[in-house]
Amino acid sequence: MNEANKTLYIPLYGKAQMSKKGIILHDPTAEKIWDKEGFTIKGKSKSKWLCYNMAMRARVFDDWTRKMIEQCVSAAVIHIGCGLDSRCLRVDAPEVKWIDCDFQDVIATRKKYYDESKNYFMKGMDATNQGDLYALPDAACAIVVLEGISMYLTNEQLVQMLRILSEKYRELHILMDVYTVFGAKASKYKNPVNDVGVSALHGIDAITQLLEGTRISLAAEHSFTPDYLVNELTGFDKHFFRLMFTGKMYRKIYRLYELQSE
């Protein structure tokens, strides 16, 4: 795998660790895959604070996806940059058409642990390739999960992807996490993806500028670290995490946007 693809193991490790502890996220599949595919974690990647963050982010995306499935009739869930994530199992909606997408070599690894079915598919694709984006399955309503991918795309590549999605799907709901410009610059010093060789990340300050020329608008901004998940921590960890990873301070670095078609 190239350096960008190796970053998928960082959230996998965090989710597996929290699942083993029995807090925030129940993810036995992450535990199983990490036991088989994992390697020695070093540096910032093994921080318990990062593990908390990765598990909380996954829970927030899970909860949002369930909510959107309840609201959208005949929806298809499209997870672009799925890595080895088991959201398709955690959300547990076997009646919904679900497509997990990532680079071909990631999907090849993924197929060792997941089986396709009449409603579940895995698709090799490059999110920067127009042809691959247009080749996504048709649906009356698309619920698009973009977790941990925007920072690896330039603003131009992200604009292209959003434009094509807005052309392709009449009803569209997107949840996407982003670095701010400051967060992307600061990542040179603090980001755990540096431990697997990634050095270039991209940030966004004005999300609405990326939506110009599309049918997409900003629906809401969410928290990665809501109180109901922070409260699953205890003692010092709970108080320190609330101080460092919630509120205005965290928002200067990292944001979570819900987008929808107009």
Side-chain angles (χ1 to χ4, degrees), residues 53-76:
N53 269 288
M54 293 293 96
M56 287 188 194
R57 183 179 76 175
R59 264 289 297 276
V60 169
F61 270 86
D62 287 357
D63 294 346
W64 176 85
T65 303
R66 289 191 191 94
K67 178 183 176 182
M68 288 300 105
I69 288 172
E70 291 175 358
Q71 292 182 7
C72 298
V73 178
S74 303

Side-chain angles (χ1 to χ4, degrees), residues 88-139:
C88 58
L89 301 177
R90 296 194 305 268
V91 170
D92 190 23
E95 74 287 355
V96 173
K97 187 175 183 179
W98 190 299
I99 305 95
D100 277 333
C101 309
D102 214 312
F103 290 111
Q104 292 286 359
D105 54 351
V106 175
I107 293 298
T109 302
R110 187 177 179 85
K111 286 185 174 180
K112 293 161 55 177
Y113 299 99
Y114 299 87
D115 296 319
E116 293 186 315
S117 67
K118 68 175 184 177
N119 285 329
Y120 176 67
F121 309 91
M122 289 174 278
K123 182 177 178 61
M125 68 167 289
D126 181 344
T128 68
N129 184 287
Q130 293 189 44
D132 286 354
L133 290 166
Y134 279 117
L136 288 169
D138 294 332

Side-chain angles (χ1 to χ4, degrees), residues 178-187 201-206 250-255 257:
V178 305
Y179 275 132
T180 63
V181 172
F182 170 76
K185 290 179 179 178
S187 70
L201 295 171
H202 306 279
I204 301 164
D205 280 342
Y250 202 36
R251 190 176 177 274
K252 289 181 179 180
I253 297 172
Y254 203 26
R255 298 179 188 174
Y257 293 117

Side-chain angles (χ1 to χ4, degrees), residues 69-86:
I69 288 172
E70 291 175 358
Q71 292 182 7
C72 298
V73 178
S74 303
V77 177
I78 303 171
H79 186 173
I80 299 176
C82 62
L84 299 176
D85 182 75
S86 68

Side-chain angles (χ1 to χ4, degrees), residues 233-240:
L233 307 181
T234 58
F236 171 80
D237 283 8
K238 177 178 177 178
H239 295 293
F240 183 81

